[in-house]
Amino acid sequence: GNDQKLQLASASIGMSMAWAMGDIDRMEFYLSALPNKSRDKSFCKALLAVYRNNFDDAAKFINDAREEMESDLSSHITESYNRGYAQVFMCQMLTELEEVVMYKMAPDDRERQVAIIGAWRHRLSGIQQDVGMWQKLLRLRSMVLRPILDLDTWIKYVNMSRKSGQMRIARDAILQLVDDEALYMEEIHRGEVDALTPKFALQAQEYMQMKMQLAQQPQGFQGGGIPLGLNGRNTGQSSSSWEGRTRRFSIVSGSNTSVNAPLDVAIRLSQQPALVYMYLKYKWAANEKREAYQMLETFASDYASRIGFDLHNPDTFAEHIDARVLANLSGHAEAADDARTIHLLARFYFKQAEWLTTVEQSVLLLQEAQAKAGLSTGESSYARRLVRRESIGVRRGRGSVSGSGQASRDGIRGSDDGRSKQDAQYLYELKGGRIDKAILEAYHAATVLDRKWYKAWHQLALR
């Protein structure tokens, strides 16, 4: 009856949650509640067998699942595309579970493992942009392929979750990526695993150095610690090769109560620019615009210093790009890394200009609305002085502009509209009267770094 259906639905949900947490004992508990001779039960048995490296049992249960869904597949395909697609997707899950077994059975055959990973990435291009489906596939692949080694795929998944408004899923995925990167860097440093490439070995070394550097700051792993001047720049007197790296720890969070505050600290240690860029876009969408922009600007400055790019004199760098491209085509690993950094840095500057444009438009609309509401000049001046005074307090580390706003269940603040306006006002005043110049500089930098990127050229032409 209804009670049995409810029990089956609860068992299915419980099994999914246990699988997501990697809790094998709980998976076994929910497995007993699933109906016999069902596709789901056979698939879950195969999962447990793979976790335990019982590959013969896994192959048997995969075949059982295929036989049990054979009749459903033909009938659902004739009914509708959506019902048929779900069945075909399940077939793909079974195929990829077989490939997980193949991956595990060839621990020393790197060529075969790379071929399997390549097939997985190619196959994603034919999958619907559905968060639930991608989530299941990535969970399956994570049994053998750690997230940080499949970064491009995970970034697509996070961006898809963010664009569809599923911010909590996006945040959970970012947490998983950041945690896995930290674990992988420390394992390499301790010699517990071999670095997949020389680049990872260098990143592990720099990660540990930056971690020690951050731990020595007065506020430890809570962020901050390097004094800031009122212009938001590092007031330290000594300059070294670490100046660009340590500057990222000097960003004072506008709100220490944010659910993303621990992530802010962790992301500053990240050695993956693409991961940082993805997180900052999430943070902006989560309505933490002030911190997102400040971190974007700081990281862009860091990455630019690594390749010798000057935002205020970008044309001199353009002369060296062709030489770097030729070196990249010749197969030099260092040149290839530089080419990726250049490509991504163009996105950093483009996003910087895009966000400043949004800030400018928001403030101008607010000023226009205040003018139409008939506010007196005295009131407007007082309001501007109040915001400026509170903004300076934030930059000195006093806390948020408003001092209010609690983190919601999805990590997005209450009173989003109010905070968005305050952040826009803060950033607008931070740039003073040179916001238009800053936007033009950033768009121009994007066109220099990626001369074939039509989007950057188009936006620069519109300015």
Side-chain angles (χ1 to χ4, degrees):
N2 292 332
D3 291 341
Q4 186 178 8
K5 289 181 180 179
L6 182 61
Q7 182 181 358
L8 293 176
S10 300
S12 180
I13 294 172
M15 173 63 76
S16 180
M17 292 177 65
W19 180 25
M21 294 185 294
D23 190 337
I24 296 176
D25 294 335
R26 194 160 291 275
M27 286 177 69
E28 282 189 331
F29 172 77
Y30 288 114
L31 182 65
S32 60
L34 293 174
N36 294 322
K37 296 291 182 181
S38 73
R39 176 198 65 192
D40 291 339
K41 188 160 190 173
S42 296
F43 177 75
C44 293
K45 283 182 177 180
L47 275 178
L48 284 169
V50 173
Y51 270 118
R52 295 186 174 121
N53 295 329
N54 296 330
F55 301 134
D56 291 337
D57 290 344
K60 175 184 177 300
F61 292 133
I62 290 171
N63 287 331
D64 290 344
R66 283 199 176 107
E67 290 175 1
E68 284 152 7
M69 68 177 295
E70 187 175 353
S71 58
D72 291 337
L73 180 61
S74 57
S75 62
H76 286 157
I77 286 178
T78 57
E79 286 179 14
S80 69
Y81 175 83
N82 289 335
R83 288 177 66 92
Y85 189 86
Q87 297 295 316
V88 172
F89 178 75
M90 187 61 194
C91 289
Q92 178 170 331
M93 291 275 288
L94 293 171
T95 298
E96 296 209 356
L97 188 56
E98 281 183 325
E99 290 168 342
V100 168
V101 171
M102 292 167 58
Y103 193 106
K104 281 194 163 192
M105 291 177 69
D108 300 322
D109 191 347
R110 185 59 192 162
E111 185 177 348
R112 189 174 191 182
Q113 291 178 348
V114 169
I116 292 172
I117 295 171
W120 286 347
R121 289 173 179 166
H122 178 71
R123 204 176 285 147
L124 275 176
S125 61
I127 299 294
Q128 285 183 354
Q129 298 290 297
D130 181 272
V131 172
M133 289 182 176
W134 279 59
Q135 188 179 52
K136 290 177 182 177
L137 283 177
L138 290 180
R139 194 183 301 162
L140 191 67
R141 297 172 182 185
S142 296
M143 296 172 74
V144 291
L145 182 62
R146 59 192 315 161
I148 198 61
L149 298 182
D150 194 20
L151 184 59
D152 290 344
T153 302
W154 278 81
I155 286 175
K156 290 177 183 177
Y157 169 62
V158 172
N159 289 337
M160 185 194 310
S161 302
R162 171 178 56 83
K163 290 175 182 177
S164 62
Q166 302 188 57
M167 300 295 284
R168 185 171 184 174
I169 293 177
R171 184 178 183 275
D172 288 344
I174 295 170
L175 273 171
Q176 194 170 346
L177 274 171
V178 170
D179 288 345
D180 190 53
E181 182 191 12
L183 183 61
Y184 187 51
M185 295 293 110
E186 291 177 3
E187 287 174 350
I188 292 174
H189 179 73
R190 294 193 298 262
E192 296 175 4
V193 299
D194 294 329
L196 196 62
T197 64
K199 178 184 175 183
F200 278 122
L202 291 173
Q203 287 178 347
Q205 183 180 2
E206 184 168 325
Y207 175 87
M208 298 308 298
Q209 289 177 333
M210 290 181 67
K211 187 174 180 181
M212 291 174 60
Q213 185 82 7
L214 179 57
Q216 291 170 4
Q217 299 303 324
Q219 298 180 18
F221 279 90
Q222 299 306 311
I226 298 178
L228 292 177
L230 292 183
N231 60 357
R233 294 185 178 180
N234 186 353
T235 58
Q237 297 178 0
S238 63
S239 61
S240 68
S241 59
W242 280 100
E243 184 179 353
R245 310 295 194 277
T246 55
R247 193 180 297 120
R248 62 175 69 174
F249 303 132
S250 67
I251 305 167
V252 178
S253 176
S255 174
N256 294 326
T257 60
S258 166
V259 293
N260 292 323
L263 260 178
D264 287 351
V265 177
I267 209 70
R268 292 168 195 176
L269 289 169
S270 178
Q271 301 299 304
Q272 314 301 327
L275 172 57
V276 172
Y277 182 60
M278 175 265 292
Y279 173 68
L280 296 181
K281 289 193 293 183
Y282 158 81
K283 194 170 178 65
W284 181 271
N287 223 41
E288 296 179 13
K289 293 180 169 56
R290 182 174 72 249
E291 296 92 338
Y293 178 80
Q294 289 178 310
M295 291 176 73
L296 180 78
E297 197 172 46
T298 302
F299 275 102
S301 177
D302 178 8
Y303 299 140
S305 66
R306 295 189 190 190
I307 60 173
F309 180 78
D310 183 3
L311 174 63
H312 304 299
N313 191 17
D315 293 323
T316 57
F317 184 80
E319 302 171 3
H320 305 291
I321 289 183
D322 290 334
R324 291 171 183 263
V325 171
L326 287 174
N328 181 27
L329 293 175
S330 301
H332 292 83
E334 186 176 348
D337 289 341
D338 280 353
R340 284 190 289 270
T341 302
I342 290 170
H343 176 82
L344 192 58
L345 186 58
R347 273 72 193 159
F348 270 82
Y349 283 125
F350 181 86
K351 194 58 67 174
Q352 186 174 319
E354 193 174 61
W355 287 355
L356 280 179
T357 301
T358 302
V359 165
E360 184 181 43
Q361 291 173 348
S362 177
V363 171
L364 292 178
L365 285 173
L366 181 61
Q367 291 175 351
E368 184 180 348
Q370 289 175 340
K372 288 182 178 179
L375 293 177
S376 69
T377 305
E379 287 173 333
S380 297
S381 300
Y382 171 77
R384 285 196 294 273
R385 287 198 302 272
L386 179 62
V387 172
R388 184 178 294 109
R389 198 159 56 240
E390 289 298 318
S391 300
I392 292 172
V394 169
R395 286 151 66 183
R396 287 175 175 167
R398 279 212 314 254
S400 65
V401 172
S402 64
S404 64
Q406 299 297 320
S408 72
R409 202 171 41 177
D410 290 332
I412 303 175
R413 293 185 171 279
S415 306
D416 282 350
D417 188 54
R419 171 163 187 187
S420 181
K421 290 177 181 178
Q422 290 167 346
D423 284 356
Q425 184 71 38
Y426 172 86
L427 292 171
Y428 187 80
E429 294 193 358
L430 186 67
K431 290 297 178 183
R434 61 179 300 275
I435 190 167
D436 285 326
K437 182 181 178 183
I439 293 170
L440 284 171
E441 281 183 342
Y443 276 137
H444 181 50
T447 61
V448 170
L449 292 163
D450 191 345
R451 290 179 291 181
K452 295 183 179 179
W453 192 17
Y454 77 93
K455 197 173 181 181
W457 284 106
H458 177 70
Q459 291 300 324
L460 180 61
L462 291 178
R463 294 297 300 185

